[in-house]
Amino acid sequence: MIKNTLLILVFLGFSNLYAQELFIKTGKNSTTFDFSSPNKNPEVSYRSGSGNFYEVGYQWNLKTNKLAYLVSLTYNQFNASASYLTNSYSWETNYIGIQNVLSYKLYETNIIHVSLAAGFNTATIIRGDQFINTTYFDIKNNEEFAGILFQPGIGTDIKYLISEKISLSLGYNYSKAYNISNGTNEKLKFNTSQFQLGIHIPILIEKNN
């Protein structure tokens, strides 16, 4: 995961790119679990759960200034709950990952930029808790949750330029996360709507020809 991102950064370093900005984002994830298994009970009622997310990254603009590449370190909580008969279930999971995104600027004025973005995150779990009624289980090593999570997504954001030194953004992203290292018959996907608030700090660097 880290090696692939470093290779991308090396490639970008030799491309006709201009350093653009640092950014920090935070917000909320609303996640539902999509669980499939030969023994799945159709009467289990799954419900969405709320979690936090944090992102720190760097953005480069391409020469056209319409297209940009973003790479970031992410921390996501994917939580959900369910019930069956008299039992209640809840899951709280925490993932850290590296995200790669291409963003296209759809509309801009002197102070407002509207962009559409698509990309993917590769992540791994750092903590996983399951509660069945009042009983706690550590699920960090369970195959449905452990290993490598591949998370493609698409989203949009509106950026407001406060000054030449800082801007704020509001965004929305929808993603599906798949555990690509799970070799069992029980498969789990995370369907997540992410609501974002961002701070962006431009970094102006001239590139020598």
Side-chain angles (χ1 to χ4, degrees), residues 52-120:
N52 298 319
F53 101 92
Y54 305 93
E55 180 179 2
V56 178
Y58 199 80
Q59 173 180 317
W60 291 265
N61 278 4
L62 296 179
K63 187 176 180 180
T64 62
N65 205 38
K66 288 284 188 180
L67 192 65
Y69 169 74
L70 299 83
V71 62
S72 58
L73 179 68
T74 62
Y75 173 87
N76 280 288
Q77 294 179 330
F78 300 123
N79 303 330
S81 60
S83 59
Y84 174 64
L85 298 177
T86 59
N87 293 319
S88 61
Y89 307 83
S90 65
W91 297 267
E92 298 176 0
T93 64
N94 301 265
Y95 285 81
I96 189 168
I98 294 177
Q99 185 160 276
N100 296 273
V101 171
L102 284 176
S103 175
Y104 181 77
K105 198 176 297 179
L106 297 174
Y107 172 81
E108 67 176 313
T109 67
N110 291 334
I111 60 172
I112 294 177
H113 296 169
V114 180
S115 300
L116 181 68
F120 66 91

Side-chain angles (χ1 to χ4, degrees), residues 30-43:
S30 178
T31 302
T32 57
F33 284 7
D34 185 358
F35 179 69
S36 62
S37 168
N39 302 316
K40 179 181 178 181
N41 190 333
E43 297 182 13

Side-chain angles (χ1 to χ4, degrees), residues 92-168:
E92 298 176 0
T93 64
N94 301 265
Y95 285 81
I96 189 168
I98 294 177
Q99 185 160 276
N100 296 273
V101 171
L102 284 176
S103 175
Y104 181 77
K105 198 176 297 179
L106 297 174
Y107 172 81
E108 67 176 313
T109 67
N110 291 334
I111 60 172
I112 294 177
H113 296 169
V114 180
S115 300
L116 181 68
F120 66 91
N121 195 331
T122 50
T124 188
I125 193 169
I126 57 174
R127 180 174 178 176
D129 303 332
Q130 180 183 23
F131 296 89
I132 302 178
N133 297 324
T134 58
T135 304
Y136 162 77
F137 299 91
D138 185 347
I139 57 174
K140 184 175 67 174
N141 296 317
N142 286 21
E143 288 199 58
E144 297 94 328
F145 297 91
I148 301 300
L149 201 69
F150 178 70
Q151 182 186 7
I154 187 170
T156 185
D157 69 77
I158 301 174
K159 185 185 298 181
Y160 178 75
L161 281 66
I162 297 175
S163 69
E164 293 182 354
K165 296 183 178 180
I166 193 169
S167 58
L168 299 178

Side-chain angles (χ1 to χ4, degrees), residues 149-202:
L149 201 69
F150 178 70
Q151 182 186 7
I154 187 170
T156 185
D157 69 77
I158 301 174
K159 185 185 298 181
Y160 178 75
L161 281 66
I162 297 175
S163 69
E164 293 182 354
K165 296 183 178 180
I166 193 169
S167 58
L168 299 178
S169 68
L170 290 174
Y172 170 81
N173 183 75
Y174 179 78
S175 65
K176 278 183 171 288
Y178 307 83
N179 190 326
I180 59 176
S181 56
N182 180 9
T184 71
N185 291 327
E186 296 185 338
K187 306 296 182 183
L188 179 64
K189 296 190 288 287
F190 301 149
N191 305 313
T192 301
S193 292
Q194 188 177 84
F195 302 91
Q196 308 169 343
L197 173 65
I199 299 174
H200 306 257
I201 303 172

